[in-house]
Amino acid sequence: MNRIDFGKRWLFPGRDDERPLVPNVLHAACRSACTAAGLSKSVTVHTLRHTFATHLLENGADVRIIQVLLGHASLQSTARYTQVATKTISNTPSPLDRLRLEVVPPG
């Protein structure tokens, strides 16, 4: 699968558009945001990526779209990032539920 070319723009640009933000700066910003939000759980940039994918999936995005957005060559890689909530699984209708079967008693 080819990655989408978004041009020279970075998701997190550095001081200029030619280079991305240095990872250490991004991690520090994430830690600062967590502290400011009063979060007690450990949150990393990777956690945000995982959460992004999970929310997309729970809101009905096709897993192949999520695969492209995350830049994964393999769907198996995407599956590692997505966690489906129990509620989402239980609310997924079975194709059998769509059948309109008429039960005719024997006789």
Side-chain angles (χ1 to χ4, degrees):
M1 172 179 283
N2 294 332
R3 292 178 186 249
I4 296 175
D5 180 15
F6 290 108
K8 291 185 180 181
R9 301 272 174 172
W10 299 95
L11 179 58
F12 299 106
R15 293 188 185 270
D16 57 55
D17 287 340
E18 298 300 317
R19 296 183 184 164
L21 191 64
V22 177
N24 291 344
V25 173
L26 184 59
H27 293 290
C30 184
R31 282 192 305 274
S32 295
C34 290
T35 300
L39 299 177
S40 59
K41 289 186 176 184
S42 175
V43 177
T44 64
V45 175
H46 183 81
T47 306
L48 297 177
R49 176 181 170 92
H50 189 88
T51 303
F52 172 75
T54 302
H55 282 292
L56 285 174
L57 187 65
E58 289 178 346
N59 285 303
D62 187 287
V63 71
R64 291 165 298 192
I65 299 298
I66 299 169
Q67 175 187 0
V68 171
L69 291 172
L70 295 178
H72 291 156
S74 167
L75 192 56
Q76 290 175 336
S77 298
T78 307
R80 283 187 231 127
Y81 281 87
T82 56
Q83 293 179 346
V84 182
T86 305
K87 180 181 175 186
T88 302
I89 293 171
S90 65
N91 288 338
T92 302
S94 166
L96 297 176
D97 294 340
R98 295 184 192 169
L99 295 176
R100 294 189 178 163
L101 300 175
E102 185 176 328
V103 178
V104 179

